[in-house]
Amino acid sequence: MMGIVARAESGATILELRHHGGGGGGGSGKSGGRSREEELGGLFSSDAARVSSLQRRAGGGSWAEDKAAAAAATGRVPVTSGARLRTLNYVATVGLGGGEATVIVDTASELTWVQCAPCASCHDQQGPLFDPASSPSYAVLPCNSSSCDALQVATGSAAGACGGGEQPSCSYTLSYRDGSYSQGVLAHDKLSLAGEVIDGFVFGCGTSNQGPFGGTSGLMGLGRSQLSLISQTMDQFDGVFSYCLPLKESESSGSLVLGDDTSVYRNSTPIVYTTMVSDPVQGPFYFVNLTGITIGGQEVESSAGKVIVDSGTIITSLVPSVYNAVKAEFLSQFAEYPQAPGFSILDTCFNLTGFREVQIPSLKFVFEGNVEVEVDSSGVLYFVSSDSSQVCLALASLKSEYETSIIGNYQQKNLRVIFDTLGSQIGFAQETCDYI
């Protein structure tokens, strides 16, 4: 495992973000022999399952039956996707107790959790498991603690609960519709972020975990809830964080900045802010209003309304009416290139073999307040095949108009995205996403 790459500067704490392709090792043992298309098929299946899970949560639906099923299965939740789940997400390494943990940065999760020893059932992890026995500052939280209560509120069910008898610890179960889950106890320990130490940081110590987490330790919960990293570090960072996601999938890194010091950013355009839509009944998500989309400078009639800005979803998913309008305009402007079959969740594809130059129409999202955010050109098309015979528009359609559109991380590359939870606004600026 790589060491922690982080530093404090001008009152801000800066962590390196790396793209995590999810090698992880082990698992089915077949990944080495799988084609690129098979790998991508698994990743997109996982992404579609995540989108489905977020829809359920954003719709105010209860997770209770999911959690009850997970508990009844005592740690064995069936994986609904047939593909081996891996992660195409961004990771940061933090200090926890006396060790380190490399965790997926997730703006849609309420709770930070890591895999803990001794582990009854864990996904493959590249580094050592967190060992509570080796940390003198580690302690399990009792089931009558305010944090245990907060977990129940955040997840909308008895996710943090006391077992029968005299069990004193707060147990938790987080399970998702894609078959991934984490079960264990709620605990606290010292969290170290670039030298900034947060004593008594509450997290999940998971001893039964499964899902598309690759070789990571677990998840960093950056969502809007009482137990998220952002809420727990309010005194240190004033409820502000931002990230810049790197362009390439390897040999590049971006940054996660905690704190409101904008002087450490390297943005090339001014920061523009749109209002964050607050909806306390709809989970930990960061909502904004999407008022329009432009393709190649041509405004597409759209009324997507409330959308989730998410670091953990790969491909942006739009309600069918908006997606179809965007697709039609893109096909019109891209008409000179032959079409190719769709791939997984991507249904608008082209065969670009033999073309030396390709003119890619620009893609802009327009948010409330006439805030225009241009997607990096690398976030418009997805190269499914390395020979360019199948290159797809990197957007997907949701199943229903009643679902909530999601801005995924593939369309957030080379942007500084700022989440100001106290000011209730989200900012965007162009930035070349190297580790700063």
Side-chain angles (χ1 to χ4, degrees), residues 112-137:
T112 297
W113 62 263
V114 299
Q115 301 201 113
C116 284
C119 205
S121 169
C122 278
H123 64 261
D124 297 315
Q125 182 174 320
Q126 288 177 352
L129 298 176
F130 174 77
D131 185 0
S134 67
S135 175
S137 48

Side-chain angles (χ1 to χ4, degrees), residues 51-63:
V51 168
S52 174
S53 179
L54 296 193
Q55 294 307 324
R56 173 135 180 205
R57 295 162 68 193
S62 169
W63 282 2

Side-chain angles (χ1 to χ4, degrees), residues 59 127 130 179 197 278 355:
F130 174 77
V197 176
S278 182
F355 290 93

